[in-house]
Amino acid sequence: MSEGEVTVAETTRRMSAKQTAARIELAAIDLALEHGFGAVTVDMICAQAGVSQRTFFNHFRTKEAAILGNLHPVIDQRAAREFVLATGPLLPGALMLVRLSGEDGTPDDPKLMARRFRAISGEPSLVAKQMEELAHIEGELVEILSTRLRLESERAGTPLSPEALERQSALCGHILGSLMLYINGFQHGRESDPAAIAARMRELPTDIGAVLGKLV
């Protein structure tokens, strides 16, 4: 067998494995939404996905992992470079920097992502695991926010002190974590339509201002 044939065979194998994992994820998510996370078993997921337990455990260690999926939050580096030089609402722009993707860089389907977050929202342990994932990129987000805040203050002729810059960027980073939960449907949203989610994001500056006005 030639090197080219080996490459084609390996690519086909990886695509098949990816499709199987996606089928298992969808089955786990649908079952959690229908029955509640606590009532779902690995046997139920396997039956719905049409796979054996051995195949399931080749892809996921637990039913929790199947619902969370093999996707991880990452920063869109190109968008980040544009963001630090941009003007306009800070937090909605920063939210757009975060996306879910697999190891090969493939992003999550928006409608599946909405269903995934609905399934996660009903189980505190899954919410905690998702927050752990977000915590991994919070430091990177804070650095990006710090650069944006510094440039904005310099353009305005009122440069921030290092202490103020650290406080404000850290605060924005913490707020972003909560907003990501809100936007992705952990608390209120039930939209599966990406356009509806985007419309809600555009309302954030007004909503944030109204809430903060009551807190300070």
Side-chain angles (χ1 to χ4, degrees):
M1 183 179 292
S2 69
E3 182 177 346
E5 290 174 330
V6 171
T7 301
V8 170
E10 178 64 15
T11 299
T12 302
R13 185 189 68 78
R14 290 181 179 179
M15 288 181 62
S16 177
K18 183 177 178 181
Q19 291 168 350
T20 300
R23 195 163 71 248
I24 294 170
E25 286 181 35
L26 181 59
I29 291 168
D30 286 346
L31 287 168
L33 289 174
E34 182 179 355
H35 302 288
F37 173 77
V40 176
T41 65
V42 170
D43 283 339
M44 291 169 64
I45 297 172
C46 291
Q48 180 137 329
V51 299
S52 66
Q53 280 205 8
R54 180 177 179 179
T55 298
F56 176 93
F57 288 114
N58 281 340
H59 292 279
F60 301 101
R61 295 175 61 185
T62 63
K63 67 174 184 178
E64 291 88 344
I67 293 175
L68 290 168
N70 289 321
L71 299 167
H72 306 282
V74 296
I75 300 293
D76 185 325
Q77 296 299 326
R78 179 177 179 180
R81 290 191 293 270
E82 296 174 355
F83 171 77
V84 297
L85 299 174
T87 59
L90 184 72
L91 294 178
L95 278 170
M96 297 299 293
L97 304 181
V98 181
R99 60 185 176 85
L100 290 177
S101 70
E103 293 180 357
D104 61 355
T106 303
D108 203 3
D109 175 80
K111 291 187 177 182
L112 177 60
M113 182 171 66
R115 291 178 63 77
R116 188 192 306 279
F117 280 122
R118 283 179 57 194
I120 292 171
S121 69
E123 175 56 38
S125 65
L126 295 182
V127 173
K129 287 183 180 296
Q130 192 67 39
M131 287 301 295
E132 288 176 10
E133 288 283 337
L134 294 174
H136 290 315
I137 63 168
E138 185 173 319
E140 191 174 355
L141 271 175
V142 168
E143 289 184 11
I144 294 169
L145 287 161
S146 179
T147 301
R148 167 74 178 263
L149 289 168
R150 177 178 59 79
L151 292 175
E152 283 189 347
S153 67
E154 290 174 353
R155 285 196 297 265
T158 55
L160 293 169
S161 68
E163 293 79 11
L165 192 59
E166 182 179 0
R167 286 199 312 272
Q168 291 187 24
S169 57
L171 176 60
C172 288
H174 290 311
I175 293 174
L176 274 175
S178 297
L179 288 178
M180 279 186 263
L181 294 180
Y182 174 77
I183 287 298
N184 287 316
F186 279 131
Q187 296 175 348
H188 300 294
R190 296 296 183 185
E191 297 91 339
S192 60
D193 180 8
I197 296 174
R200 185 143 51 91
M201 288 183 67
R202 287 193 290 271
E203 298 172 357
L204 280 176
T206 300
D207 291 341
I208 293 170
V211 172
L212 291 181
K214 298 175 182 179
L215 297 178
V216 298

